[in-house]
Amino acid sequence: MDPPMQLKRPARSATVTHTNVSMQTSNNKMFRFFFLFLVSFAILSFILQRSIISKVTNGVENNVLPTQSTNQRQPKLADGCYHVFLDVGANIGIHARFLFEPDLYPDSTTSVAAFAREFGYPRDNRDYCVFAFEPNPKFKQRHHDMEKAFQAMGWRYTPILAGASNADGNFTFFHSAFEKEPWETGFSATASKTLYGHDAIQKNVPIIRLASWIQKEVEGRRLQYQSQSNIQITYQNRK
């Protein structure tokens, strides 16, 4: 008779034991890795939290929050203006008077009618802000007087004593009609002679880039009819 077959069970058992030991070692390494990761994360979070608390505490002690200086909004000249009217080349400011005081010009056949067509009539002058650009220094006092007079009426009139241009700087103008015209309609940037053939008096005046001025002083203006929650109240609901 042939001898019985011998099964190699010990070798298979040894292989299983070796696999179990390897898996246990791998699990221990993963556990140590996650443990170290959690400890490191907790330490880093603690450090960041203490740093933030320290900055806020210092800001409160100095009555200044850390972000206050960077987020503070600068006021604009047109804040509170529902309508903005730019009088570019205002001369003596007559267009502002057409807007605010049309009844004083019954003989006007075109200008007063144009303002009524564009801005409506009657109208509440408190809804309008006029910015008058005029570089001629001859009319400086007149514009300031108009500003005070309109302010007493509750109307906003702001003279900008500069010429409107496409760049900031200075420019040479000429008093080209000063001899016989009290309103000097010939204050010119090109004519070196007066309307009567004499040499014009030169005057160096400031100029401003109009687009930049509008962006700085008008764009993004805040209306006076704005609620505390920064939600704009409709014009029809204004009291």
Side-chain angles (χ1 to χ4, degrees):
M1 296 179 60
D2 295 331
M5 296 180 62
Q6 296 182 355
L7 300 177
K8 298 181 180 181
R9 291 181 179 178
R12 182 180 299 176
S13 177
T15 302
V16 172
T17 302
H18 175 72
T19 302
N20 290 338
V21 172
S22 299
M23 292 179 62
Q24 184 176 3
T25 302
S26 177
N27 290 338
N28 290 337
K29 289 182 179 179
M30 292 180 64
F31 175 78
R32 286 196 299 269
F33 171 78
F34 282 112
F35 178 76
L36 292 175
F37 173 79
L38 291 175
V39 171
S40 300
F41 181 78
I43 294 175
L44 180 61
S45 298
F46 176 77
I47 294 174
L48 291 175
Q49 185 178 14
R50 290 297 300 271
S51 177
I52 294 173
I53 292 175
S54 177
K55 289 182 179 180
V56 173
T57 302
N58 292 336
V60 172
E61 290 177 353
N62 296 327
N63 295 322
V64 177
L65 293 178
T67 58
Q68 183 175 349
S69 59
T70 58
N71 295 336
Q72 187 175 6
R73 178 186 180 275
Q74 296 297 321
K76 297 177 178 290
L77 287 177
D79 280 343
C81 302
Y82 190 80
H83 295 292
V84 174
F85 174 56
L86 304 182
D87 190 359
V88 181
N91 196 260
I92 61 173
I94 196 67
H95 291 102
R97 302 199 68 183
F98 286 156
L99 176 66
F100 287 145
E101 306 170 297
D103 295 336
L104 297 182
Y105 299 90
D107 296 333
S108 173
T109 59
T110 56
S111 297
V112 170
F115 276 85
R117 182 175 61 253
E118 296 297 328
F119 300 108
Y121 184 84
R123 50 185 173 263
D124 189 340
N125 288 339
R126 296 173 300 174
D127 293 335
Y128 297 86
C129 293
V130 176
F131 296 96
F133 293 80
E134 177 52 51
N136 193 342
K138 180 177 180 178
F139 304 135
K140 177 180 178 180
Q141 188 58 51
R142 176 182 172 86
H143 285 293
H144 285 312
D145 292 342
M146 290 178 61
E147 181 181 20
K148 293 178 182 178
F150 287 147
Q151 186 178 20
M153 301 292 291
W155 309 335
R156 292 179 60 176
Y157 180 87
T158 304
I160 308 296
L161 303 177
S165 180
N166 61 352
D168 296 319
N170 292 279
F171 201 81
T172 299
F173 276 72
F174 299 90
H175 292 279
S176 56
F178 67 94
E179 299 156 307
K180 298 181 180 180
E181 294 185 4
W183 307 131
E184 197 168 7
T185 56
F187 190 61
S188 171
T190 58
S192 60
K193 295 287 186 178
T194 70
L195 298 180
Y196 310 101
H198 300 158
D199 290 335
I201 298 176
Q202 297 184 19
K203 185 66 178 181
N204 195 36
V205 299
I207 57 174
I208 60 176
R209 187 173 186 268
L210 185 60
S212 298
W213 185 92
I214 293 174
Q215 185 178 35
K216 177 183 177 182
E217 302 295 353
V218 179
E219 184 179 336
R221 68 190 186 279
R222 289 183 177 177
L223 302 184
Q224 58 184 349
Y225 316 125
Q226 206 168 28
S227 68
Q228 295 297 324
S229 61
N230 265 353
I231 299 177
Q232 182 178 318
I233 301 174
T234 60
Y235 177 65
Q236 290 78 9
N237 293 335
R238 182 179 63 82
K239 296 182 179 180

